[in-house]
Amino acid sequence: MHLFRRLISVVLLVFVATFAAAQEVGEEDVKAVETITQKIEQYAKQVEAARDSDQRLVELGVEIEALEKELFNRGVKLSPRLPQIKLRLDQIGPVPEEGQGAEPKSVVDERQKLVEERGRINQLLGILEDQSIRTNQLTDTISEARRQLFTDALSRRYDITDAFSTELFTDVGDSITSLTNRIHSWWQFTWRFKSQNALLGLGGVIALTLIALLGLRKIFSGWIYRDPNVADPSYLTRLTTASWYTILPTALTWLFFLLTYLVMSFLGVLRDDIGQILSTIFVCAAIIILVWRLTEAIFAPKLKQWRLIDVSDHAARPLKTFVVLMVVVSTGDVMVTQINSIIGTSVPVTIVKSLFTAIAVGLLLISIAFLKPFDRLLNDQSLVKVAWPRTIKWLLCFAGAGLIISALSGYIGFSRFVAQQIVVTGAVIATMYLGIRTARAISEESAFVETSLGKKFLHNSRLTESGVDQLGLIVGFAVTALVLAVGLPLLALMWGFQWLDIERFVISAFTEIQIGSISLSISSILIGVVLFSLGLLLTRYFKSWLDGNILSRSRMDPGARSSITTAVGYIGVAIAGLFGVTAAGIELSQLALIAGALSLGIGFGLQNIVSNFVSGLILLAERPFKAGDIVEAGGFTGVVKVVKVRATEIETFDKKTLVLPNSEMINSAVINWMHKTALGRVSVAVGVSYDSDAQAVHDLLIEIAKDHPRVLANPEPFVDFYNFGDSALEFELRAYIADVGFSVGVKTELRIAIHQRFKEQGIEIPFPQRDVNLKVVGDSVSQVLGNAAQAAPTVIKTGKTPNLDD
């Protein structure tokens, strides 16, 4: 054993020495810090050069953020070496004074080496700290430059008259010629040298798209088909069909565009400029297709019964046409702008293009405002066209007129931006609204069961109707989450954010959220919840294993076994909660402050509340009764409705709700009729005359009990002949039923059966008889009886009892 310990010590010393050597700071670390410093200087120059490009500023911001992480990681790598050096220097000791003798050369060299290394580490850490401050300043500079770019683009004013000069048509012709030459040269090169790759790639994409189309038709044809023979489909059916009618074909078209671009890029068919032009065309076409399908689903010009908005037939088609035209104009403007940025164009062309877009969108908005989209039925059964509500009408007119006036005033950037937001943002919001309405409709009670998908789940799975309804709730939440996950980034892109901005925001949201002095993250919270759930599952499994395999084999009484398993459960929950809270990023010191505040509150009078709270936790953990049990507590009897943390709600048999504090349920006696089982016993007492045969009565009562459908055969019913009463032989029938909740009804039915059977068998159920003794004073008995006989007619006639003393 001693040899083994020495061997372990040697191994540990070798491991520590190896680890320390691996952590020594060398030239590699110095070069890494120098490289980081050079990168930061380069980024500073690039930021100044890219002040006019928002896209480039975003890219630089992402690169600088990655460099900040590298700075942090480098500092984390260097810092742990300092305590090691300090520990080793303390072990070596200070330099001996004169007269204390010379140190070995190896010790002197090691001390000098450690001191130099410590100085080098401190120097590198100082450089890293300075560069970290520099990166933060660059990040602020990028944010300020992007805000300034956005403000300048919206507030810049152009002279419209200068744009309409003789050079305008020349510039337009030059731009068209330049674009045609680029496309022609690319086409000639591709057709000569890469035509086979292009045809194979395009053919593969078309084949995949056709396969997907056939699969979607086979699986989802019933979901997107709007049957014209259905006279009055429900709103949920219209809503879900419109959603699938919009989403599935649009997604298939987008898939075709995406696969075409990716395959052509992978095969090297696309040139950089042609790739940018093609991607722009694909994006604009995808937006137009989405809006066309969406407006067709909402307005349904040819299928009134499938229309989602209650507009008239004569207004449905114009509304759809105007909305699609606005999207075509706006996406066309975006496409032309992107192409101009590739081939290069003059400022007048850009101004005229944006001016046309703003005026066209403004005129279309005004045209929509003056439509009369509704019908009103008059008393003579005639229809009259009704305009928009006044607020909507004037809002549309104000938006359209504002676009036209701002464009004619020279604020081209502002008018173009607003026009695009009205169109594209409106389309995205309308799609999101449609998806959220669909999710809400699916989540309503029993709504998902009535859908075709719900019926398939009901018939082809083991789920009950209640399970399918709960599945509908989950589907509704999933649809809402999907709509928000797709729609919110699209809105952010429409409002000037770059995709890298969204990516950075999502990553920061999942990695760090600062709330005061507490730093949380969605990912850490999810990990904490998962760890806590796993801890609960492991705790339940361990309790079951402990009770079933260990404690059941011992001679321990059931009460002690229950106490041990309950204590283990509490410890397991506490450990799981500790792991969950720690993984979620919540420091225990914060919880200590909360606990201190709670303890102070308890000292000022919250004892009862905390007592009820702790009692509620005990009741929820031990479950001496549960919802649906019949209990006797607090002098009342009723059915437990819900066990809450503070109080327990009990419904008495006269439908009154009794709220009992949990501390009373813990500290007082509680009778649970249905604790371990719903089995219960009913007792019916009956008396028979002294002339009756006791054995026959006993057998008849047993027979009556056995004939009742709710009386159990095991345990058997029995009869107790328990007393010789004043007027009767007293019996008690005792029988067991499977559900004590039916005890009142069973006892009533048994009494009715006893009364009928006793009457049939001639068994008398006597009632108490009393002898009245009259004490006569003064008069004879015959005189009293005579007076009573004379008073009898008076009693019958008047209904009043005479006074016998008279």
Side-chain angles (χ1 to χ4, degrees):
M1 180 64 69
H2 182 67
L3 180 61
F4 179 76
R5 290 179 179 175
R6 292 188 61 184
L7 181 61
I8 293 296
S9 301
V10 172
V11 172
L12 290 176
L13 287 175
V14 172
F15 176 77
V16 171
T18 304
F19 180 78
Q23 297 297 318
E24 289 182 359
V25 177
E27 293 298 328
E28 180 183 355
D29 297 294
V30 176
K31 291 181 179 179
V33 174
E34 291 178 353
T35 302
I36 292 175
T37 304
Q38 295 173 0
K39 286 183 179 180
I40 293 175
E41 294 297 331
Q42 294 175 0
Y43 282 136
K45 296 177 181 179
Q46 293 178 14
V47 168
E48 291 298 326
R51 282 184 172 272
D52 295 332
S53 175
D54 186 70
Q55 177 67 28
R56 182 55 184 158
L57 288 174
V58 174
E59 295 174 356
L60 288 174
V62 174
E63 294 175 6
I64 291 173
E65 185 176 356
L67 191 61
E68 287 179 349
K69 294 181 180 179
E70 187 177 351
L71 282 169
F72 177 77
N73 294 332
R74 184 62 57 178
V76 170
K77 180 181 178 182
L78 293 176
S79 298
R81 180 60 179 160
L82 290 176
Q84 297 176 4
I85 294 175
K86 183 178 183 302
L87 178 62
R88 183 56 184 159
L89 288 175
D90 292 341
Q91 292 175 352
I92 295 175
V95 178
E97 299 179 359
E98 296 183 1
Q100 293 183 355
E103 288 183 320
K105 186 176 183 303
S106 60
V107 175
V108 175
D109 292 342
E110 183 179 4
R111 182 188 291 111
Q112 183 178 359
K113 181 180 179 182
L114 291 173
V115 171
E116 291 176 355
E117 185 180 1
R118 182 175 61 183
R120 193 159 53 246
I121 292 175
N122 289 328
Q123 181 182 4
L124 293 177
L125 289 177
I127 295 174
L128 291 175
E129 184 176 358
D130 294 338
Q131 298 304 320
S132 178
I133 296 174
R134 185 75 183 279
T135 56
N136 291 331
Q137 293 174 349
L138 287 177
T139 302
D140 295 338
T141 302
I142 290 175
S143 301
E144 181 62 30
R146 293 188 63 199
R147 284 193 295 268
Q148 189 63 38
L149 274 176
F150 185 75
T151 304
D152 292 343
L154 295 184
S155 60
R156 185 177 302 171
R157 186 176 182 274
Y158 298 91
D159 191 352
I160 302 299
T161 56
D162 292 343
F164 292 94
S165 62
T166 56
E167 298 178 357
L168 175 64
F169 298 100
T170 303
D171 293 338
V172 172
D174 293 341
S175 300
I176 294 175
T177 302
S178 176
L179 177 63
T180 305
N181 292 336
R182 285 174 180 265
I183 296 176
H184 180 72
S185 63
W186 167 76
W187 176 258
Q188 291 293 332
F189 176 81
T190 303
W191 185 254
R192 288 181 181 180
F193 302 103
K194 296 185 178 182
S195 58
Q196 186 176 1
N197 291 341
L199 292 176
L200 287 176
L202 187 60
V205 171
I206 293 174
L208 289 175
T209 307
L210 290 176
I211 293 173
L213 177 62
L214 294 176
L216 288 175
R217 281 189 175 182
K218 185 176 181 180
I219 299 174
F220 302 107
S221 59
W223 295 13
I224 64 176
Y225 177 65
R226 299 178 296 178
D227 191 354
N229 297 322
V230 177
D232 188 20
S234 64
Y235 188 74
L236 175 60
T237 304
R238 286 182 285 161
L239 203 57
T240 52
T241 304
S243 299
W244 295 121
Y245 179 85
T246 303
I247 294 171
L248 292 178
T250 303
L252 184 63
T253 308
W254 288 10
L255 178 64
F256 171 74
F257 290 156
L258 180 62
L259 289 178
T260 301
Y261 181 80
L262 292 178
V263 170
M264 293 300 178
S265 299
F266 178 76
L267 295 176
V269 176
L270 296 179
R271 224 165 47 199
D272 289 341
D273 55 347
I274 300 300
Q276 295 179 17
I277 294 173
L278 187 63
S279 63
T280 303
I281 294 173
F282 281 171
V283 170
C284 293
I287 293 174
I288 293 173
I289 292 172
L290 169 65
V291 174
W292 185 85
R293 300 289 299 189
L294 180 62
T295 53
E296 176 66 26
I298 293 176
F299 298 115
K302 297 180 181 180
L303 298 171
K304 180 179 180 180
Q305 67 272 28
W306 290 95
R307 196 169 296 156
L308 295 180
I309 299 179
D310 189 17
V311 296
S312 60
D313 294 339
H314 61 83
R317 185 171 297 279
L319 282 172
K320 174 189 172 183
T321 304
F322 288 155
V323 173
V324 173
L325 283 177
M326 281 195 297
V327 174
V328 170
V329 170
S330 297
T331 52
D333 176 74
V334 173
M335 183 173 62
V336 173
T337 301
Q338 184 65 23
I339 294 174
N340 287 341
S341 66
I342 297 172
I343 64 176
T345 187
S346 62
V347 175
V349 174
T350 304
I351 293 175
V352 172
K353 170 187 63 65
S354 301
L355 179 65
F356 170 78
T357 300
I359 293 177
V361 173
L363 291 176
L364 288 171
L365 287 174
I366 294 175
S367 301
I368 294 175
F370 283 95
L371 280 177
K372 294 182 178 180
F374 306 111
D375 288 334
R376 179 183 298 172
L377 184 64
L378 300 180
N379 295 331
D380 57 356
Q381 302 302 315
S382 61
L383 292 176
V384 61
K385 298 178 181 180
V386 180
W388 295 103
R390 184 171 300 177
T391 303
I392 297 178
K393 179 179 179 180
W394 288 113
L395 184 62
L396 291 171
C397 290
F398 176 78
L403 283 176
I404 297 173
I405 293 173
S406 60
L408 294 177
S409 300
Y411 295 98
I412 301 297
F414 173 77
S415 59
R416 178 176 177 270
F417 176 78
V418 174
Q420 289 181 351
Q421 299 315 312
I422 290 176
V423 176
V424 183
T425 304
V428 174
I429 291 176
T431 306
M432 292 178 62
Y433 175 75
L434 186 63
I436 292 175
R437 284 292 302 269
T438 303
R440 289 178 58 184
I442 293 175
S443 302
E444 291 182 358
E445 186 176 359
S446 302
F448 186 67
V449 181
E450 300 299 328
T451 61
S452 57
L453 182 61
K455 292 177 180 178
K456 288 182 180 180
F457 273 110
L458 189 61
H459 294 155
N460 301 330
S461 66
R462 297 181 180 179
L463 294 176
T464 62
E465 187 171 338
S466 175
V468 174
D469 184 57
Q470 294 177 0
L471 180 63
L473 187 63
I474 297 175
V475 171
F477 285 139
V479 172
T480 303
L482 179 62
V483 168
L484 295 178
V486 176
L488 293 180
L490 286 177
L491 288 176
L493 291 173
M494 295 302 104
W495 281 89
F497 291 91
Q498 300 292 336
W499 180 253
L500 295 176
D501 291 332
I502 300 173
E503 184 179 353
R504 291 172 60 187
F505 173 77
V506 173
I507 293 175
S508 63
F510 273 88
T511 54
E512 185 174 4
I513 300 175
Q514 198 71 26
I515 304 176
S517 59
I518 301 177
S519 180
L520 301 176
S521 68
I522 297 178
S523 58
S524 61
I525 292 174
L526 293 177
I527 293 173
V529 172
V530 171
L531 287 178
F532 180 71
S533 302
L534 290 176
L536 290 182
L537 292 176
L538 291 175
T539 300
R540 291 185 178 181
Y541 173 78
F542 182 74
K543 284 176 59 180
S544 177
W545 175 83
L546 180 66
D547 187 55
N549 297 321
I550 304 298
L551 299 180
S552 61
R553 298 182 182 180
S554 64
R555 298 181 180 179
M556 194 177 299
D557 61 277
R561 287 172 54 185
S562 178
S563 300
I564 292 175
T565 54
T566 302
V568 169
Y570 287 154
I571 294 173
V573 172
I575 294 175
L578 182 63
F579 275 103
V581 169
T582 304
I586 301 176
E587 297 182 2
L588 297 181
S589 58
Q590 306 291 339
L591 298 180
L593 293 175
I594 297 175
L598 288 176
S599 62
L600 182 63
I602 293 170
F604 280 100
L606 298 179
Q607 297 94 336
N608 292 333
I609 296 177
V610 175
S611 175
N612 291 326
F613 176 78
V614 175
S615 300
L617 295 179
I618 295 174
L619 292 176
L620 292 173
E622 294 185 351
R623 299 186 68 191
F625 48 81
K626 59 184 182 299
D629 286 356
I630 300 175
V631 299
E632 295 181 19
F636 297 90
T637 303
V639 180
V640 177
K641 286 301 180 182
V642 60
V643 181
K644 297 182 178 179
V645 176
R646 191 197 66 83
T648 300
E649 294 182 5
I650 300 174
E651 185 180 88
T652 61
F653 293 136
D654 55 358
K655 297 301 179 182
K656 295 180 180 179
T657 299
L658 174 67
V659 180
L660 279 178
N662 288 328
S663 59
E664 186 173 344
M665 304 294 289
I666 290 291
N667 298 325
S668 303
V670 178
I671 298 176
N672 187 354
W673 292 11
M674 308 167 70
H675 180 47
K676 297 296 183 181
T677 176
L679 181 70
R681 192 181 74 176
V682 295
S683 300
V684 177
V686 64
V688 299
S689 65
Y690 274 85
D691 296 335
S692 303
D693 186 350
Q695 185 62 42
V697 172
H698 176 276
D699 297 339
L700 185 58
L701 290 175
I702 294 292
E703 181 181 350
I704 292 171
K706 291 182 177 180
D707 290 341
H708 196 281
R710 290 195 179 275
V711 173
L712 299 176
N714 185 21
E716 294 183 353
F718 65 94
V719 175
D720 181 17
F721 183 7
Y722 65 91
N723 193 22
F724 292 95
D726 294 337
S727 304
L729 304 176
E730 297 178 354
F731 294 82
E732 187 175 47
L733 172 62
R734 299 174 183 175
Y736 293 90
I737 58 177
D739 192 346
V740 72
F742 295 97
S743 59
V744 176
V746 170
K747 288 192 289 185
T748 299
E749 293 167 358
L750 287 176
R751 291 188 181 101
I752 293 173
I754 290 172
H755 182 264
Q756 292 177 349
R757 297 289 294 276
F758 278 18
K759 185 180 290 186
E760 294 173 359
Q761 298 296 327
I763 299 175
E764 181 185 359
I765 301 177
F767 53 86
Q769 298 181 3
R770 298 289 182 267
D771 294 332
V772 180
N773 298 317
L774 298 177
K775 182 177 181 181
V776 180
V777 180
D779 296 335
S780 63
V781 176
S782 59
Q783 290 177 342
V784 172
L785 292 177
N787 293 334
Q790 293 177 0
T794 305
V795 173
I796 296 174
K797 183 176 181 181
T798 63
K800 297 181 180 179
T801 303
N803 190 352
L804 294 182
D805 293 338
D806 296 337

